[in-house]
Amino acid sequence: MTRILSFAAVICTTSLFLVTTAQYLVAQQPQTNPAAGTENRMQVLAVVNGQQITRDYLTNEAVRRFGETVIENMINNQLIMAMCQSKGIAVTPQDITDELDRRARKFGMSIEKYVELISQERGVDEQKLRNEVVWTELALRRLASESTQITPEQVQTELDSEFGPKVQVRAIALGDEARAQQVLALALANPEQFSRLAIDYSVDPNSASVGGLLPPLRHNMGEPAMEQAAFALSAGEISPIIPLADQFVILKCERQYPASELTEQGAVMARQRIMDELREASLGDAATDLFKQMQEQSEIVNVINDPELSKKTPGVAATVNGHNITMVQVEDDCLDKFGRDVLQSEINRTLIMQRLQKDGLSVADEDIQQEIGRAAVEFGFIQQDGSPDVNRWIAMVTQNDSSKIEIYVNDEVWPTVAMKKVVTKQVSVTDEDMQMGFEANFGPRVQVLAIVLQDQRTAQRVWEMAKSNQTEKYFGDLAHQYSVEPASRANYGEVPPIQMHGGRKVMEEEAFRLNPGDISGLIPVGQNWIVLWCKGRTTPVVEQFDAVKDELYRDILEKKMRIAVAEEFETMQSTSQIDNFLTGTSQPGDAAVRAARNQPPAADGNR
């Protein structure tokens, strides 16, 4: 039985559906034989430094990676078409044009420009976009519309959330109630130290880094208990302990915002927009129920996953109510939809294999296992004894599908290990690297408020206003009014503390020059200008270098490896002769360029 896809999943993958959708939609289009013209197709789709990648090989690789997804979507496509026919639902070419026009106007585009943009993004031509993607979405909408009802109460709830009052709070999240009681006592004794307590005690790292400050809370958006407690507070008040799941939360109210005032016309427009959004969102549940109903009432056999059935019905991938989906159809659809991406992956793999052979290197199973273990540790999959929890990591990256382990190893792990072997002699970790890494990860950081401006003229004006009243509150109000960066604007200038060697040298130097209460000069960062107000510095949690040097070494080595791998692979690509007949692109490579110029090979022997 195929999986039941949500409406969102179906829409995201509709470009995978059979071309028979178009045949159902446009009756005058002739039926096509998927096998027709096979003998005229190019059998070599790419040549990499003289090594060929054939159509048969690429087709097999595309099916290996995406065959299951393609078959599932073909099955679901058949079910959608059958239900449309049974209910007398038809989607006409004009319906599709109208829908594309509606979407294009939302972005201020013509249909032609919108179609061109979406076709490029999704890698489908206009015919497939119209007859598969948009057709399927419209068909699902019409099938699901009967069970989709939006009530006035739902609209009002969303209106209250979007335009109603808001409250901004700081939060301290604790892991146990006893600890929460202790921290609450400290907060009540010194309310002005609430942000410091959040930094020191909160187990939520995202909010702790900005003194516990959260984006403004709105009604009907999250945990009812937390919303109720927050809206009951006045500015400066601290809440009792709020039990939430496995945490205990303490809030301090920073400010209350009144409800937005809407004009009569604005309210009408807002209600209509919200109703449309709710109807669109509700289609997900309705479509999922439809798929479940269709599947329960249909006879579906996934032949490709059953070795015995595959022997009995060669060339058949699946059957839907007695209708065959052939392997030729699956292969053609896989190559059509995913061929370019898979071919690029195989070109890259061929380049790496050629480089390993040239350097006399190889990848052993032990290397693969070590890299999998390293990745598991990096992403926090660690057992109680500190060793990598490889089984749990593999289950996560393969979504508990053991058939995908080979794909994960071949497509993700092997290339990483191979390229690390290529660059390993180029990478070393120096004492200076270790010192800078220690300062960046474990050294003091500067706590600041920040205002981000788009042009120097406005930045100069805001800086002068800030200098005229160098208080934290006034600077925060300026950030809320003028900062163009959403987080600092919503949080009244609160941003995560600035570390050393974080990649923003000019801003770091200026931040570490400041004393509490100081305002920075105008700091150019990219196309923007930043003004900082210094709150102080954090206290390092780790002070002994030896306590973290091994962990630090592994982290720095891995980061330097990644940089070296990226640079080396870019060089391998740019200096190779690659002819990609599927995309119609070609590059001569260094050897061909030197031959054309009648130049001798490079002294280091590189191509």
Side-chain angles (χ1 to χ4, degrees):
M1 181 68 72
T2 188
R3 289 201 301 264
I4 298 173
L5 299 183
S6 68
F7 176 74
V10 171
I11 295 307
C12 288
T13 57
T14 46
S15 62
L16 304 175
F17 289 165
L18 280 171
V19 179
T20 49
T21 306
Q23 295 163 356
Y24 167 69
L25 171 66
V26 187
Q28 64 269 26
Q29 289 185 349
Q31 297 288 332
T32 59
N33 179 359
T38 302
E39 66 279 0
N40 295 323
R41 296 174 177 177
M42 290 184 297
Q43 295 306 306
V44 176
L45 297 183
V47 180
V48 183
N49 295 321
Q51 184 173 338
Q52 296 180 348
I53 298 176
T54 66
R55 173 178 291 273
D56 288 344
Y57 176 81
L58 185 64
T59 298
N60 290 336
E61 289 301 309
V63 171
R64 185 171 68 87
R65 290 170 171 86
F66 301 106
E68 182 181 350
T69 301
V70 166
I71 291 172
E72 288 177 353
N73 282 282
M74 285 181 169
I75 291 171
N76 285 315
N77 182 57
Q78 294 282 345
L79 297 176
I80 293 170
M81 291 170 59
M83 180 163 277
C84 283
Q85 290 173 327
S86 68
K87 290 182 174 292
I89 292 175
V91 179
T92 68
Q94 187 59 49
D95 293 334
I96 292 173
T97 298
D98 292 343
E99 174 64 14
L100 288 172
D101 180 59
R102 183 185 70 82
R103 297 182 186 186
R105 281 189 282 106
K106 285 177 64 176
F107 295 97
M109 296 181 180
S110 65
I111 289 182
E112 292 75 15
K113 187 67 177 176
Y114 177 80
V115 167
E116 179 185 357
L117 176 65
I118 299 301
S119 296
Q120 290 174 350
E121 287 183 353
R122 299 197 183 186
V124 296
D125 59 27
E126 181 176 353
Q127 182 180 358
K128 288 185 176 62
L129 174 64
R130 285 176 171 271
N131 296 342
E132 298 178 24
V133 180
V134 180
W135 181 91
T136 304
E137 184 170 346
L138 289 176
L140 282 169
R141 282 182 184 174
R142 294 182 182 183
L143 287 169
S145 61
E146 297 177 1
S147 57
T148 302
Q149 299 294 329
I150 304 302
T151 66
E153 290 75 18
Q154 288 175 291
V155 175
Q156 187 59 50
T157 296
E158 291 299 315
L159 274 172
D160 292 342
S161 175
E162 186 170 342
F163 299 103
K166 297 179 290 186
V167 58
Q168 187 161 46
V169 298
R170 293 182 187 272
I172 304 175
L174 290 310
D176 64 83
E177 189 172 7
R179 185 70 159 174
Q181 292 287 0
Q182 295 173 355
V183 175
L184 177 60
L186 293 173
L188 292 172
N190 295 284
E192 69 281 357
Q193 292 297 312
F194 195 94
S195 61
R196 182 72 254 174
L197 293 171
I199 292 171
D200 292 342
Y201 294 103
S202 183
V203 298
D204 175 35
N206 294 325
S207 61
S209 67
V210 289
L213 194 66
L214 301 179
L217 301 179
R218 300 179 288 175
H219 284 300
N220 312 312
M221 287 298 292
E223 290 285 348
M226 186 166 172
E227 290 177 12
Q228 184 177 358
F231 278 97
L233 299 174
S234 299
E237 285 189 324
I238 295 174
S239 75
I241 295 171
I242 308 164
L244 291 177
D246 58 347
Q247 293 184 345
F248 300 87
V249 178
I250 306 167
L251 303 178
K252 179 187 177 186
C253 179
E254 289 293 308
R255 52 186 66 83
Q256 293 272 3
Y257 298 93
S260 302
E261 295 185 6
L262 292 175
T263 64
E264 183 176 349
Q265 182 181 5
V268 171
M269 294 176 64
R271 283 182 178 276
Q272 184 59 52
R273 174 178 57 79
I274 288 172
M275 185 174 294
D276 291 342
E277 291 172 353
L278 287 172
R279 184 178 292 111
E280 192 75 20
S282 68
L283 286 174
D285 292 336
T288 298
D289 291 341
L290 273 173
F291 275 120
K292 184 177 180 180
Q293 176 187 342
M294 287 187 281
Q295 290 178 330
E296 288 174 348
Q297 297 174 354
S298 301
E299 183 181 351
I300 302 170
V301 180
N302 198 326
V303 178
I304 197 172
N305 291 335
D306 189 324
E308 291 301 319
L309 280 177
S310 296
K311 292 178 182 178
K312 294 178 181 178
T313 54
V316 176
T319 63
V320 182
N321 295 323
H323 175 79
N324 288 342
I325 296 174
T326 69
M327 280 304 303
V328 171
Q329 289 175 306
V330 174
E331 291 168 354
D332 285 351
D333 217 40
C334 282
L335 196 59
D336 185 36
K337 305 305 189 301
F338 301 106
R340 294 190 177 200
D341 290 339
V342 176
L343 181 55
Q344 186 58 58
S345 176
E346 290 305 314
I347 288 173
N348 294 344
R349 185 178 184 86
T350 301
L351 288 171
I352 296 173
M353 293 179 70
Q354 290 173 345
R355 180 58 182 271
L356 289 178
Q357 185 176 10
K358 174 179 178 292
D359 292 353
L361 301 172
S362 61
V363 174
D365 183 65
E366 181 182 359
D367 302 322
I368 295 291
Q369 298 307 317
Q370 287 179 354
E371 176 60 24
I372 293 174
R374 186 207 61 77
V377 171
E378 180 181 353
F379 288 94
F381 289 77
I382 305 172
Q383 301 188 86
Q384 291 184 349
D385 62 2
S387 62
D389 193 341
V390 172
N391 291 334
R392 194 160 60 91
W393 167 248
I394 290 291
M396 192 278 291
V397 296
T398 62
Q399 299 178 327
N400 289 309
D401 186 347
S402 59
S403 67
K404 294 181 180 178
I405 294 177
E406 183 183 359
I407 295 175
Y408 165 63
V409 171
N410 289 342
D411 291 1
E412 302 293 335
V413 183
W414 184 89
T416 300
V417 173
M419 284 303 300
K420 283 182 176 180
K421 282 184 170 287
V422 169
V423 303
T424 186
K425 292 182 180 180
Q426 306 172 21
V427 179
S428 62
V429 178
T430 66
D431 291 342
E432 183 182 5
D433 293 333
M434 294 289 286
Q435 183 60 39
M436 291 175 62
F438 182 76
E439 291 174 355
N441 288 279
F442 303 104
R445 303 186 180 196
V446 183
Q447 294 177 290
V448 298
L449 302 183
I451 307 174
V452 184
L453 294 311
Q454 285 184 324
D455 64 88
Q456 188 175 5
R457 187 172 183 176
T458 303
Q460 181 67 37
R461 180 163 58 88
V462 173
W463 179 82
E464 291 173 359
M465 287 190 287
K467 291 290 286 185
S468 70
N469 182 0
Q470 294 188 210
T471 64
E472 180 176 357
K473 182 181 184 305
Y474 185 63
F475 193 93
D477 290 339
L478 289 176
H480 184 66
Q481 182 176 357
Y482 292 102
S483 185
V484 298
E485 192 275 316
S488 58
R489 183 184 184 93
N491 293 337
Y492 286 76
E494 293 273 6
V495 295
I498 297 173
Q499 67 184 79
M500 285 293 289
H501 314 301
R504 301 169 295 181
K505 185 176 180 181
V506 174
M507 186 166 69
E508 292 164 13
E509 290 178 348
E510 180 70 4
F512 278 87
R513 182 188 62 80
L514 301 175
N515 294 313
D518 286 350
I519 293 176
S520 72
L522 298 183
I523 307 170
V525 177
Q527 301 297 316
N528 296 323
W529 297 84
I530 295 179
V531 184
L532 303 177
W533 188 91
C534 181
K535 298 175 65 175
R537 299 195 182 189
T538 63
T539 302
V541 177
V542 177
E543 296 184 355
Q544 297 299 320
F545 175 81
D546 288 345
V548 294
K549 67 177 183 180
D550 292 339
E551 175 188 350
L552 196 59
Y553 178 88
R554 289 192 298 269
D555 182 61
I556 295 173
L557 179 64
E558 181 63 25
K559 289 178 179 176
K560 294 188 77 171
M561 275 282 192
R562 290 176 183 172
I563 294 171
V565 162
E567 292 175 347
E568 185 66 25
F569 188 74
E570 183 178 354
T571 299
M572 287 164 52
Q573 284 183 311
S574 63
T575 57
S576 295
Q577 182 173 344
I578 302 173
D579 299 302
N580 187 326
F581 303 121
L582 204 57
T583 60
T585 59
S586 180
Q587 66 179 47
D590 274 5
V593 170
R594 285 195 298 269
R597 295 176 179 174
N598 198 24
Q599 293 181 349
D604 61 3
N606 289 335
R607 288 182 301 276

